Amino acid sequence: MKKLFFYLIGFVILASQSSCGYNTLVEKDETVEAQWANVQNSYQRRADLVPNLVNTVKGAADFERGTLTDVIEARAKATSVNISPDNLTPENIERFQQAQGELSGALSRLLVSVERYPELRANQNFLELQAQLEGTENRISVERRKFNEAVQDYNTTVRSFPSNLMAGMFGFERKGHFEADPGAQQAPTVQF
């Protein structure tokens, strides 16, 4: 019994002297959650721009209904997938990423199809919305990178000794990363 007491005291001293104590784990977990909120904010900004883009396209051209319908449906699906910061598992992040990828694909098809409508390309509202979407896509990329960095820092702490002991005792588990979309390593084919 006395030996167990000394082991417990030694563990407490080790944990308190460690730079990876409970408070550090909480801080890193909060950083991941805050960064996840920034990722969601960037995706929400894009989702909010889509109806304006669709309405501008509708008003400026006799546009293909199928392309617009795909964008509208992809936006609805992308905004319906919500993940709590407490449940950032690799599977949930993949599900979220897949829904967002469908919206990205639909937007890409919309922007490519616009090339056939010169009057739309010259429309100032469309040009402004296109610039906003490009800026939003850049923001999404930056926020996803920052999120992955925060998750890497958190996961490293959760898995490193002696903080892994503290993490295990208090239920701190590894979090999932964003990964590249399937086929992203292949360069797109551009034809003129």
Side-chain angles (χ1 to χ4, degrees):
M1 185 69 168
K2 194 174 186 181
K3 206 176 203 183
L4 179 63
F5 177 74
F6 285 118
Y7 283 130
L8 184 59
I9 294 294
F11 175 74
V12 170
I13 291 171
L14 180 64
S16 67
Q17 296 299 315
S18 167
S19 64
C20 299
Y22 178 80
N23 290 342
T24 300
L25 289 167
V26 169
E27 178 185 330
K28 290 178 185 288
D29 187 52
E30 288 296 321
T31 300
V32 169
E33 288 185 22
Q35 196 53 52
W36 178 249
N38 290 341
V39 168
Q40 288 183 311
N41 183 45
S42 294
Y43 278 116
Q44 184 62 52
R45 183 178 193 276
R46 178 175 70 177
D48 292 345
L49 286 171
V50 169
N52 293 327
L53 178 65
V54 169
N55 288 334
T56 300
V57 171
K58 276 184 189 176
D62 181 17
F63 204 72
E64 297 174 16
R65 293 275 176 230
T67 303
L68 291 174
T69 301
D70 289 349
V71 170
I72 292 166
E73 289 174 359
R75 177 192 179 269
K77 185 174 181 181
T79 57
S80 71
V81 177
N82 294 314
I83 300 174
S84 164
D86 298 332
N87 200 14
L88 295 174
T89 64
E91 296 81 22
N92 285 341
I93 289 179
E94 183 178 338
R95 196 172 51 113
F96 180 85
Q97 188 173 348
Q98 182 179 10
Q100 295 299 331
E102 290 176 21
L103 179 55
S104 294
L107 285 172
S108 293
R109 288 188 300 278
L110 173 68
L111 294 174
V112 166
S113 297
V114 164
E115 295 299 317
R116 292 188 289 163
Y117 297 91
E119 68 278 1
L120 180 59
R121 282 183 284 157
N123 179 302
Q124 187 61 36
N125 289 335
F126 178 78
L127 293 175
E128 287 176 20
L129 282 169
Q130 188 176 15
Q132 288 291 323
L133 276 173
E134 289 169 359
T136 298
E137 293 301 319
N138 287 335
R139 285 185 178 112
I140 288 170
S141 177
V142 166
E143 295 303 338
R144 283 175 53 157
R145 180 184 51 78
K146 287 180 180 178
F147 173 78
N148 279 347
E149 289 170 355
V151 167
Q152 178 186 5
D153 184 45
Y154 170 85
N155 285 347
T156 300
T157 303
V158 165
R159 294 180 60 212
S160 299
F161 183 81
S163 60
N164 62 341
L165 301 173
M166 188 73 66
M169 282 187 351
F170 291 103
F172 289 93
E173 296 179 4
R174 292 181 69 190
K175 307 232 185 240
H177 289 87
F178 271 105
E179 296 179 11
D181 292 330
Q185 67 276 9
Q186 296 174 348
T189 304
V190 179
Q191 295 178 344
F192 294 101

